[in-house]
Amino acid sequence: MFGKKFGVIAASVALVSVVLTSCGGAEVNNGGTQNKEATAADSKKSITLWIFDADPMYQATAEATAAEIGAELNYEYIQDETYKTKLSVALAANELPDVFQQHAGKSYRTPVLQSKTVAPVNDTLDSTGLGSQFLDNQLVTEEDGNIYSVPSNISTTLVLYYNKKLMGELGASAPTTWDELQALIKTANDEGVIPIALGGKERWQADLLYNMLVAREDVNAFDEAIKGQAKFTDAPFVDAANQVVTLVNSNAFQKGFLGSAYLDAQELFKNDKALMWIDGSFNFTSLSTAMGDNLGYIAFPKTGAEEIHSSTIGFQNAEAPYSLFVNNSSKNVDAAKEFAIRMSLKLNDEFVRKGLPGYAKSDVKSESQNEQLSAYATDIGKTTKTQAMWFGLLSADAGQEYRDLTQQLYGGVLTAEQFTTELETLLRKAE
Amino acid sequence: MEKALSNKKILALFLLPGLIVFLIFYFVPILITAYYSLQDWDGINPMTFIGLDNYIEMFTVDKSFWQAVWNSFAFLLVGVFIQLPISFALAMLVSRKMKGRKWFRNIYFFPVVMSTTMVSLLWVKIYDPNIGMLNTLMDAMGLGSWTQAWLGDTKTALLSVLIVTTWHYVGYNMLILFAGMQGIPEQYYEAAKLDGATGWKAVRYITFPLLSDVLRICIVLNVIYALKTFESVYVMTNGGPLDSTTVIALKMFQEAFLKQNFGYGSALAVFMVLECLIIAWVINKLLTQEKIEY
């Protein structure tokens, strides 16, 4: 009855303008302004890039790539949580920048592909010969035979950071088992130190911790359950949920953690208020910059039957990695494609330089890194199985409902058994 | 010119551009949103007509919907029965001829000038249970047992947000009421004083009746603002913990843009529009009375 774009814009007027008086509306307008700017500077190839990763490496790499292909770069960093909303609106309204980064996971990748707003990059990969630089299976070929994205990050995993200064003051060492973790939580609480800072407001950090506890029980548990070969009410899920309950009841997290924003919780850790911080390995650079030698790293403790190197939680899977996409409505679509591919390869060089396993061939040599990053590079090399975060394997609505459910477990509304029963219902329906 | 302006057809012609703009950018989107509310649509793929299923889900299945309705009404009740009386009292105080009244007026109005996002972020820091000013002050005053995880506890989160919105907008109503009070001729009070009506009696028989129009506007504005509350909740709690602070506008945003349920989000938008219209109409009807002339 109505055209899609008209419909989305009309719906956005009713939904966004009434509600998002400062957030969404401004965001969409920003995108529009940038596109206009891009048109004005059409004589010199202009590329607008949206990035959610706070690592300064991204901006430096983007600027170097733009200089290499003679393009004018309009780089826009958007804080992670805001980015998710902004991109979602931009996708629906077809107001995308020339090139944009997208999170790993099906729940983020599928809407991008379904929107039909992104351009295949096969032709540029072939014509420039740069496609051969990527390692096997690192470029995702979709069902229609096209490649729509290039990687923008290596596979990052969930790790446990700790504050060395606080750990020293407590006379303790980083925990390697469930018992040691519990003992450390008690010691920290006794000394008035927050054991683990957790940003419960956005829900994802708590959700990933539960994923990790399940993986440590049985790394294949989720894959089997989601395929219908097992149930979400089986022992690994219940045991992990009970561990969450134990952590909450032993005051492992800061007071009011359900209302704490991720960045506020991170500040507690960085400012010597909290002993431990559970987060992605993608934060090594920013945390190292903020904390220097005070930052400690350890693989997440062995909390179940699995060994630490045989199970971990990763932020992406092979089908849905962190990616750079190109807007097929870009005024400079060819330049944008080349820009995305060359930027992806330059980012790969930076990962290799840090001693991390890249996704493409590189002539760059690994440089000596700080002790913690070296330890992580060694650990990740030993890891035999990485379970992709569940949220990334679910559709957007099922993923959000799953996170709501997880918050109920952390909030003490549901027991471990009630939680897993509801989990079974929810994820079986999503399947 | 006067002849032209008395011609209704010419007047209608002048009003037409504005009416067209209003219809295109306000009325038509609402109609289209109502149309989308009857669809199962993720905003990207083709939509499927599902009739009233979104509304049935909203009223019968979605547990957090009724929580959101109740929370929206909590904002409404606090806005009308707490914030407005405080604003009235402040307006009375700053309308008195006392030293520094302009200064007080500016102080009370100052929060209104600040953006909701800024105010909300400020209060998030104040409420922080670990490093926030409120708990620290309580500890220093020996009231450590009263400290709370203000925004992180389902028991205190809604109240904490309500306090902030009251603090933020109390000056706005105060200024409107103050302006209304300035329009009441002084001689009415002097005449009433001769008849022995001073203090509360003067307020009861002079200020209230002559301020009724202004009060009605304040009530309607407060109700509409309360039902549309979004930013403060989004920034301070994001509806949590456990939906304890969620409101209809936030839920609509989450459904449409996070869960990509544009159809369901549209149904919530339609509900919100109707809710605002009906309540505003009822209040107008209830509070409309014959204008008092002295």
Coordinates of all heavy atoms in Angstrom, one line a residue, chain A residues 352-379:
Chain A
V352 N 48.0 -8.2 13.7 CA 49.2 -9.0 13.6 C 50.3 -8.3 14.3 O 51.1 -9.0 15.0 CB 49.5 -9.2 12.1 CG1 50.9 -10.0 12.0 CG2 48.4 -10.0 11.4
R353 N 50.4 -7.0 14.2 CA 51.5 -6.3 14.9 C 51.4 -6.5 16.4 O 52.4 -6.5 17.1 CB 51.4 -4.8 14.6 CG 52.6 -4.0 14.8 CD 52.4 -2.5 14.7 NE 51.8 -2.1 13.4 CZ 52.4 -2.0 12.3 NH1 53.7 -2.2 12.2 NH2 51.7 -1.7 11.2
K354 N 50.2 -6.6 16.9 CA 50.0 -6.8 18.3 C 50.2 -8.3 18.7 O 50.0 -8.6 19.9 CB 48.5 -6.4 18.7 CG 48.3 -5.0 18.7 CD 46.8 -4.7 19.1 CE 46.6 -3.2 19.0 NZ 45.2 -2.9 19.3
G355 N 50.5 -9.1 17.8 CA 50.8 -10.5 18.1 C 49.5 -11.4 18.1 O 49.5 -12.5 18.6
L356 N 48.4 -10.8 17.6 CA 47.2 -11.6 17.6 C 46.9 -12.2 16.2 O 47.4 -11.7 15.2 CB 46.0 -10.6 17.9 CG 46.1 -9.9 19.3 CD1 45.1 -8.8 19.4 CD2 45.8 -11.0 20.3
P357 N 46.2 -13.3 16.2 CA 46.0 -14.0 14.9 C 45.1 -13.2 14.0 O 44.0 -12.8 14.4 CB 45.3 -15.3 15.3 CG 44.7 -15.1 16.7 CD 45.6 -14.0 17.3
G358 N 45.6 -12.9 12.8 CA 44.8 -12.0 11.9 C 43.9 -12.9 11.0 O 43.8 -14.1 11.1
Y359 N 43.2 -12.2 10.1 CA 42.3 -12.9 9.2 C 42.7 -12.8 7.8 O 42.1 -13.2 6.9 CB 40.9 -12.3 9.4 CG 40.8 -10.8 9.4 CD1 41.0 -10.0 8.2 CD2 40.6 -10.1 10.6 CE1 40.9 -8.6 8.3 CE2 40.5 -8.7 10.7 CZ 40.7 -8.0 9.5 OH 40.7 -6.6 9.5
A360 N 43.9 -12.1 7.6 CA 44.5 -12.0 6.2 C 46.0 -12.1 6.3 O 46.6 -12.1 7.4 CB 44.1 -10.7 5.7
K361 N 46.6 -12.3 5.1 CA 48.0 -12.4 5.0 C 48.6 -11.0 5.4 O 48.0 -10.0 5.1 CB 48.5 -12.8 3.6 CG 48.1 -14.2 3.2 CD 48.3 -14.3 1.7 CE 47.6 -15.5 1.1 NZ 47.6 -15.5 -0.3
S362 N 49.8 -11.0 6.0 CA 50.4 -9.8 6.4 C 51.9 -9.9 6.4 O 52.4 -10.9 6.8 CB 49.9 -9.3 7.8 OG 50.5 -8.2 8.2
D363 N 52.5 -8.8 5.9 CA 54.0 -8.8 6.0 C 54.5 -8.1 7.3 O 55.7 -8.1 7.5 CB 54.5 -7.9 4.8 CG 54.2 -8.5 3.5 OD1 54.1 -9.8 3.4 OD2 54.0 -7.8 2.5
V364 N 53.6 -7.7 8.1 CA 53.9 -7.0 9.3 C 54.4 -8.0 10.3 O 53.9 -9.1 10.4 CB 52.7 -6.2 9.9 CG1 52.9 -5.7 11.2 CG2 52.3 -5.1 8.9
K365 N 55.5 -7.6 11.1 CA 56.0 -8.5 12.1 C 55.4 -8.1 13.4 O 55.1 -7.0 13.7 CB 57.5 -8.4 12.2 CG 58.2 -9.1 11.0 CD 59.6 -9.2 11.1 CE 60.2 -9.9 10.0 NZ 61.7 -9.8 9.9
S366 N 55.2 -9.2 14.2 CA 54.6 -8.9 15.6 C 55.6 -8.2 16.4 O 56.8 -8.5 16.4 CB 54.3 -10.3 16.2 OG 54.0 -10.2 17.5
E367 N 55.1 -7.1 17.1 CA 56.0 -6.4 17.9 C 55.8 -6.8 19.4 O 54.7 -7.3 19.7 CB 55.7 -4.9 17.8 CG 56.1 -4.3 16.4 CD 55.6 -2.9 16.2 OE1 55.0 -2.3 17.1 OE2 55.8 -2.4 15.1
S368 N 56.8 -6.5 20.2 CA 56.6 -6.9 21.6 C 55.5 -6.1 22.2 O 55.4 -4.9 22.1 CB 57.9 -6.7 22.4 OG 58.2 -5.3 22.4
Q369 N 54.6 -6.8 22.9 CA 53.4 -6.2 23.5 C 53.6 -6.2 25.1 O 54.5 -6.8 25.6 CB 52.2 -6.9 23.2 CG 51.9 -7.0 21.7 CD 51.7 -5.6 21.1 OE1 51.0 -4.8 21.6 NE2 52.3 -5.4 19.9
N370 N 52.6 -5.6 25.7 CA 52.7 -5.6 27.2 C 52.4 -7.1 27.6 O 51.8 -7.9 26.9 CB 51.8 -4.6 27.8 CG 50.3 -4.9 27.6 OD1 49.9 -6.1 27.7 ND2 49.5 -3.9 27.3
E371 N 52.8 -7.3 28.8 CA 52.7 -8.7 29.3 C 51.3 -9.3 29.2 O 51.2 -10.5 28.9 CB 53.1 -8.6 30.8 CG 53.2 -9.9 31.6 CD 53.3 -9.6 33.1 OE1 53.7 -8.5 33.5 OE2 53.0 -10.6 33.8
Q372 N 50.3 -8.5 29.5 CA 48.9 -9.0 29.5 C 48.5 -9.4 28.1 O 47.9 -10.5 27.9 CB 48.0 -8.0 30.1 CG 48.4 -7.4 31.4 CD 48.7 -8.5 32.4 OE1 48.1 -9.6 32.5 NE2 49.7 -8.3 33.3
L373 N 48.8 -8.6 27.2 CA 48.3 -8.9 25.8 C 49.1 -10.1 25.3 O 48.5 -10.9 24.5 CB 48.5 -7.7 24.9 CG 47.9 -7.7 23.5 CD1 46.4 -8.0 23.6 CD2 48.0 -6.4 22.8
S374 N 50.4 -10.2 25.6 CA 51.1 -11.4 25.2 C 50.5 -12.7 25.8 O 50.4 -13.7 25.1 CB 52.6 -11.3 25.7 OG 53.2 -10.2 25.1
A375 N 50.1 -12.6 27.1 CA 49.5 -13.7 27.7 C 48.2 -14.1 27.0 O 47.9 -15.3 26.8 CB 49.3 -13.4 29.2
Y376 N 47.4 -13.1 26.7 CA 46.2 -13.4 26.0 C 46.4 -14.0 24.6 O 45.8 -15.0 24.2 CB 45.4 -12.1 25.8 CG 44.1 -12.3 25.0 CD1 43.1 -13.0 25.4 CD2 44.1 -11.8 23.6 CE1 41.9 -13.3 24.7 CE2 42.9 -12.0 22.9 CZ 41.9 -12.7 23.4 OH 40.8 -13.0 22.6
A377 N 47.4 -13.5 23.9 CA 47.8 -14.0 22.6 C 48.1 -15.5 22.7 O 47.7 -16.3 21.9 CB 48.9 -13.2 21.9
T378 N 48.9 -15.8 23.8 CA 49.2 -17.2 24.0 C 48.0 -18.1 24.3 O 47.8 -19.2 23.7 CB 50.2 -17.3 25.2 OG1 51.3 -16.5 24.9 CG2 50.7 -18.8 25.4
D379 N 47.1 -17.6 25.2 CA 45.9 -18.3 25.6 C 45.0 -18.5 24.4 O 44.5 -19.6 24.2 CB 45.1 -17.5 26.6 CG 45.8 -17.7 28.0 OD1 46.5 -18.7 28.2 OD2 45.4 -16.9 28.9

